[in-house]
Amino acid sequence: MKKITLIVAVASCFAAFSANAQVKEDFVPSTTVQSGKKFPAVNSERCVRVQVTAPDAQSVKLDIGSVKYDLTKGENGVWTGESAPQDEGFHYYHIIVDGATIPDPTALYYYGSGHWTSGVEVPAYDDDFYAVKNVPQGQVREMFYWSESCKSMLRCFVYTPEEYEYNLSKRYPVLYIQHGGGENEYGWASQGKVAQIMDNLIAEGKALPFIVVMACSDVPAPQAERPAGRPAGGFSMANFGAAYDKVLVDELIPTIDKTFRTIKDSDHRAMAGLSMGGMITKMVTLKHPDVFSNIGIFSGGTITVADADRTPGFRETNKVVFVGFGSRELENRVPGFGDGTDPKEETEDVKASGVNAHFYVSPGTAHEWLTWRRCLYQFAQLLFK
Amino acid sequence: MKKITLIVAVASCFAAFSANAQVKEDFVPSTTVQSGKKFPAVNSERCVRVQVTAPDAQSVKLDIGSVKYDLTKGENGVWTGESAPQDEGFHYYHIIVDGATIPDPTALYYYGSGHWTSGVEVPAYDDDFYAVKNVPQGQVREMFYWSESCKSMLRCFVYTPEEYEYNLSKRYPVLYIQHGGGENEYGWASQGKVAQIMDNLIAEGKALPFIVVMACSDVPAPQAERPAGRPAGGFSMANFGAAYDKVLVDELIPTIDKTFRTIKDSDHRAMAGLSMGGMITKMVTLKHPDVFSNIGIFSGGTITVADADRTPGFRETNKVVFVGFGSRELENRVPGFGDGTDPKEETEDVKASGVNAHFYVSPGTAHEWLTWRRCLYQFAQLLFK
């Protein structure tokens, strides 16, 4: 039975090959395939191939990087097809079966664009820094905490370094790190590879051991305060930042400081975030320079000289400002992007004004997770030293 | 009598879905909907309704409980339909769009039947015991460990009770708990609600605080030993039990005992599992009575008098045997089920022979997760006292 299935699969692959002869046939299953599955697969030209069994469908498409690619129907209703070359790194994608947008049935699922969908890893030249390796292993801990302002239990994830388990008298700094718009508290540990990046950095002596807290900024408004028609949770600009500021500063930080062996001062507390999470990071850290002395903004803006000057206490308390972007984000900048200025210049200016500021560009990546993994990799090495 | 009840129930199910005009319109989104989504939903008759947008599809079905239900196309290509009444508790299900078996795009995903698929919670009369409540919160920790026999890093999840964070001189007993066939290490923390069951039991003083380890028994064979055509990982009877026995006893337990503050003797170590995991539990614990003194078998067989008699050391070391089933599993038993004998009688016999054996029946549930949540709830109260 298994052999027959295999032969059929191979036969249908050949059918697909002939239909798209110019694609290089050296596809390898992505690290995001489900156990025992073969697709999505990626070839040496960084094309992504998917395969979906849909015997009665009229049309099956792969939707990746804002482009839809038609799949070709082979024997036994197995549809196969591939994308144009993608950037290195992680990409969300969908399958469209007769107009139904669905996650790929054989891929692992990730939360992005406000729902659980499929992801594919295109191998990167530097993917060793976020690989699972046989080095001392930290942990990613799922826990719930009571939010009085939301009147509900909220989930967060907490990375603790390996030595946290046995250095029982030692206390640790904490980085609070935020996902982007349409994402949630799962993003950084899953797509973001926080544990692997931290474990590998610590094993190489490049970063100090610290705790990383991953919570969802899209907190549910209490029923009474919820705008009509807006469901609890879900991405919404209605509670962009302000509601989470309260949860983070008044509820989550005290919970973390009570639960974990943290160092409870601003010098040993950092906040970072990607895209919308970077904007929230800017908003929260400039509001509370007494709470966070270390700031990372990944594809989400900058800290300007004006920001530093108009924030009482900022210049006295801040230890690090890190600003990062993907190179393709900067290439594709058009007038009006952000506040219309150059983030590199802004960062150089704020550095010249006395702030310990760093600007980083991730080569060959756009507004996607490889940019942000690399930002964390860089930022973590600057922290708490 | 019970069989008649079952037949009547089945008959009323058919009535419900052949003429679904009389479906009671009091559907409420299940706890397994994605953030901000409305389906799957469940009504007071325990029917499950789904809704899928598939404008160009010819046919959309809901596949739940081994029955396929046709959905009806409404305006804007939105298909809606519902199942017959389901048992209380958690059920896996699929959507079928023009022959493509897919997870429901608006539900949360769970690993079962060898892939990630959709799940729905039908509210149970006793669902308070596995609800997230504002009680002291333990943690579920994801970590990787090196398996020398598999030559790879393997993932496991570890529940630690709330007090583990601050009772730093205290050591804890450990329960190793196994998923069923086609499931993996995610099952017990996700579908199984281990953290909520333990947190609530501990908060009520009904269970002692202990650690729970959740690992995948379907360990990857090293490349050299892998049967031709068998992919790494994935459900396979080829490595049912034996390969995992080695990983568990020689690799995982030493890792856990090194990483966590455990009590490292058999009295304070338990193993339990559901279905295939129960069979593996029986195999491993009878092979190693010096390693595990506490045994839980959920819908996966029993420990018989013959088992106890032929296992050197068993009667001297064993502290607890717990055997549990869903009531519908026992109702539906046919000659030849398991070894053809009555699990209740077997458990009573082994108890009469001097073993501290317990038999439990989960009311109104079949071979599904509510049975196993209830088994854990019962078993945990017997442990390490």
CSV table of all heavy atoms in Angstrom, one decimal, chain A residues 219-237:
chain,number,residue,atom,x,y,z
A,219,VAL,N,-4.0,42.7,23.3
A,219,VAL,CA,-4.7,42.2,24.5
A,219,VAL,C,-6.2,42.4,24.4
A,219,VAL,O,-6.6,43.4,23.7
A,219,VAL,CB,-4.2,42.9,25.8
A,219,VAL,CG1,-2.7,42.5,26.0
A,219,VAL,CG2,-4.4,44.4,25.7
A,220,PRO,N,-7.0,41.5,24.9
A,220,PRO,CA,-8.4,41.7,24.8
A,220,PRO,C,-8.9,42.8,25.7
A,220,PRO,O,-8.5,42.9,26.9
A,220,PRO,CB,-9.0,40.3,25.3
A,220,PRO,CG,-7.9,39.7,26.2
A,220,PRO,CD,-6.6,40.3,25.6
A,221,ALA,N,-9.7,43.7,25.1
A,221,ALA,CA,-10.3,44.7,26.0
A,221,ALA,C,-11.4,44.1,26.8
A,221,ALA,O,-12.0,43.1,26.4
A,221,ALA,CB,-11.0,45.8,25.1
A,222,PRO,N,-11.6,44.6,28.0
A,222,PRO,CA,-12.7,44.0,28.8
A,222,PRO,C,-14.0,44.2,28.1
A,222,PRO,O,-14.1,45.2,27.3
A,222,PRO,CB,-12.6,44.9,30.1
A,222,PRO,CG,-11.3,45.5,30.1
A,222,PRO,CD,-10.8,45.6,28.7
A,223,GLN,N,-14.9,43.3,28.3
A,223,GLN,CA,-16.2,43.3,27.6
A,223,GLN,C,-16.9,44.7,27.6
A,223,GLN,O,-17.3,45.2,26.5
A,223,GLN,CB,-17.2,42.3,28.2
A,223,GLN,CG,-18.3,41.9,27.4
A,223,GLN,CD,-17.9,41.0,26.2
A,223,GLN,OE1,-17.1,40.1,26.4
A,223,GLN,NE2,-18.5,41.3,25.0
A,224,ALA,N,-16.8,45.4,28.7
A,224,ALA,CA,-17.5,46.6,28.8
A,224,ALA,C,-16.9,47.7,27.9
A,224,ALA,O,-17.6,48.6,27.4
A,224,ALA,CB,-17.5,47.1,30.2
A,225,GLU,N,-15.6,47.6,27.7
A,225,GLU,CA,-14.9,48.7,26.9
A,225,GLU,C,-14.7,48.3,25.5
A,225,GLU,O,-14.1,49.1,24.7
A,225,GLU,CB,-13.5,48.9,27.6
A,225,GLU,CG,-13.6,49.4,29.0
A,225,GLU,CD,-12.2,49.3,29.6
A,225,GLU,OE1,-11.2,49.3,28.9
A,225,GLU,OE2,-12.2,49.2,30.9
A,226,ARG,N,-15.3,47.2,25.0
A,226,ARG,CA,-15.0,46.7,23.7
A,226,ARG,C,-15.9,47.4,22.7
A,226,ARG,O,-17.1,47.5,22.8
A,226,ARG,CB,-15.3,45.2,23.6
A,226,ARG,CG,-14.6,44.5,22.5
A,226,ARG,CD,-14.8,43.0,22.6
A,226,ARG,NE,-14.2,42.5,23.8
A,226,ARG,CZ,-14.5,41.3,24.4
A,226,ARG,NH1,-15.5,40.6,23.9
A,226,ARG,NH2,-13.9,40.9,25.4
A,227,PRO,N,-15.3,48.0,21.6
A,227,PRO,CA,-16.2,48.7,20.6
A,227,PRO,C,-17.2,47.7,20.0
A,227,PRO,O,-16.8,46.5,19.9
A,227,PRO,CB,-15.2,49.1,19.6
A,227,PRO,CG,-13.8,49.1,20.2
A,227,PRO,CD,-13.9,48.1,21.3
A,228,ALA,N,-18.3,48.1,19.7
A,228,ALA,CA,-19.4,47.2,19.1
A,228,ALA,C,-18.8,46.5,17.9
A,228,ALA,O,-18.1,47.1,17.0
A,228,ALA,CB,-20.6,48.0,18.8
A,229,GLY,N,-19.0,45.2,17.8
A,229,GLY,CA,-18.6,44.4,16.6
A,229,GLY,C,-17.2,44.0,16.7
A,229,GLY,O,-16.8,43.2,15.8
A,230,ARG,N,-16.4,44.4,17.7
A,230,ARG,CA,-15.0,44.0,17.7
A,230,ARG,C,-14.9,42.7,18.6
A,230,ARG,O,-15.2,42.8,19.8
A,230,ARG,CB,-14.1,45.1,18.3
A,230,ARG,CG,-12.7,44.7,18.2
A,230,ARG,CD,-11.7,45.7,18.8
A,230,ARG,NE,-10.5,45.0,19.0
A,230,ARG,CZ,-10.1,44.5,20.2
A,230,ARG,NH1,-10.9,44.7,21.3
A,230,ARG,NH2,-9.0,43.8,20.3
A,231,PRO,N,-14.5,41.6,18.1
A,231,PRO,CA,-14.3,40.4,18.9
A,231,PRO,C,-13.2,40.6,19.9
A,231,PRO,O,-12.3,41.4,19.7
A,231,PRO,CB,-14.0,39.3,17.9
A,231,PRO,CG,-13.3,40.0,16.8
A,231,PRO,CD,-14.0,41.4,16.7
A,232,ALA,N,-13.2,39.8,20.9
A,232,ALA,CA,-12.1,39.7,21.9
A,232,ALA,C,-10.9,39.2,21.1
A,232,ALA,O,-11.0,38.3,20.3
A,232,ALA,CB,-12.4,38.8,23.0
A,233,GLY,N,-9.7,39.8,21.4
A,233,GLY,CA,-8.5,39.3,20.7
A,233,GLY,C,-8.6,39.7,19.2
A,233,GLY,O,-9.4,40.4,18.7
A,234,GLY,N,-7.7,39.1,18.4
A,234,GLY,CA,-7.6,39.4,17.0
A,234,GLY,C,-6.9,40.7,16.8
A,234,GLY,O,-6.9,41.6,17.6
A,235,PHE,N,-6.3,40.9,15.7
A,235,PHE,CA,-5.5,42.1,15.4
A,235,PHE,C,-6.4,43.3,15.2
A,235,PHE,O,-7.4,43.2,14.5
A,235,PHE,CB,-4.7,41.9,14.1
A,235,PHE,CG,-4.0,43.1,13.7
A,235,PHE,CD1,-3.1,43.8,14.5
A,235,PHE,CD2,-4.2,43.6,12.4
A,235,PHE,CE1,-2.4,44.9,14.1
A,235,PHE,CE2,-3.5,44.8,12.0
A,235,PHE,CZ,-2.7,45.4,12.9
A,236,SER,N,-6.1,44.3,15.9
A,236,SER,CA,-7.0,45.5,15.8
A,236,SER,C,-6.1,46.7,16.1
A,236,SER,O,-5.4,46.7,17.1
A,236,SER,CB,-8.1,45.4,16.8
A,236,SER,OG,-8.6,46.7,17.0
A,237,MET,N,-6.3,47.8,15.3
A,237,MET,CA,-5.6,49.0,15.6
A,237,MET,C,-6.2,49.7,16.8
A,237,MET,O,-5.6,50.6,17.4
A,237,MET,CB,-5.6,49.9,14.4
A,237,MET,CG,-4.8,49.4,13.2
A,237,MET,SD,-3.0,49.0,13.6
A,237,MET,CE,-2.3,50.6,13.5
